[in-house]
Amino acid sequence: MTDTRAFSKEKLIPQSPLPYISRKALKRVGDDALPIPTKCECGGKVILSKNSVIYNGKEYGDWPFVYHCTCCDRYVGLHPNTDIPLGTLADKCLRDARKSCKPPFNKIWQLGFMSRDEAYIWLANKLDIDKTKCHFGLFDENMCEKARTLCEDFFTKNKVKVNLRTGEIHA
Ligand SMILES: [Zn+2]
């Protein structure tokens, strides 16, 4: 459900250290909005910080913030110009799995086999999950691997040889 603040008339007061929250960006996130995390699955407290706390003092990206656990190494970034997390908190293994399994999926719509929306519906059906739950930011490692296998099978069936790292198509 779209964050109700997207439609409020009052000034949106961001949680520190966010400089602002954009209603337009909240609307863009729309139904994909996840609750703001306060507790990690390890039991630790989750806080919002600049992502320089993760990257050895350097800030990365246009919206350099993270929700991170104060006890373990789990963290997650934010949708740009909002305080909405991109997914659930993830440790290194899960972050790597999400990072490596999403590009093959993206190729399906980027190469025009389906629209982005159709691709998510296709993947949700194949994984037998609700479309609202079909986001790499919500997947565990097992789901990430399943998704990657499905996407690779898709390219095999369509006789497309794609370099899933670079996105190049080979004849
Ligand atoms: Zn934790």
Side-chain angles (χ1 to χ4, degrees):
M1 186 178 110
T2 301
D3 195 303
T4 51
R5 291 173 302 169
F7 310 104
S8 78
K9 294 274 180 277
E10 288 135 57
K11 192 174 188 306
L12 299 179
I13 299 172
Q15 190 189 151
S16 172
L18 302 181
Y20 60 86
I21 292 172
S22 149
R23 282 202 180 80
K24 208 172 148 192
L26 290 175
K27 279 179 196 154
R28 191 180 314 125
V29 177
D31 289 343
D32 295 345
L34 289 173
I36 289 168
T38 55
K39 208 171 175 194
C40 177
E41 60 185 276
C42 81
K45 191 177 173 213
V46 175
I47 59 170
L48 177 61
S49 299
K50 290 193 170 175
N51 64 11
S52 52
V53 298
I54 306 295
Y55 301 117
N56 293 322
K58 266 189 149 185
E59 284 178 24
Y60 279 95
D62 295 334
W63 195 245
F65 307 101
V66 284
Y67 287 108
H68 66 100
C69 178
T70 50
C71 292
C72 72
D73 79 331
R74 289 184 179 91
Y75 67 85
V76 68
L78 279 62
H79 284 282
N81 307 318
T82 76
D83 58 357
I84 299 173
L86 287 166
T88 56
L89 262 65
D91 62 11
K92 174 115 182 36
C93 281
L94 182 51
R95 290 194 302 269
D96 288 348
R98 287 173 178 173
K99 244 180 249 162
S100 67
C101 296
K102 194 171 178 182
F105 168 75
N106 283 346
K107 286 290 153 230
I108 291 180
W109 56 270
Q110 284 166 352
L111 292 170
F113 287 101
M114 302 177 205
S115 70
R116 188 170 178 274
D117 209 39
E118 285 164 349
Y120 273 105
I121 292 167
W122 169 82
L123 184 62
N125 283 337
K126 290 279 185 188
L127 291 171
D128 199 20
I129 57 174
D130 195 87
K131 186 183 171 270
T132 58
K133 301 270 188 303
C134 191
H135 293 288
F136 283 83
L138 296 177
F139 289 174
D140 60 13
E141 283 158 62
N142 182 30
M143 280 299 239
C144 286
E145 286 302 327
K146 273 191 195 165
R148 186 185 21 209
T149 305
L150 285 165
C151 296
E152 287 171 358
D153 290 350
F154 176 88
F155 287 120
T156 307
K157 261 181 218 145
N158 284 278
K159 299 193 169 53
V160 179
K161 280 189 188 146
V162 182
N163 180 328
L164 294 170
R165 274 223 181 94
T166 63
E168 278 172 62
I169 302 175
H170 304 284

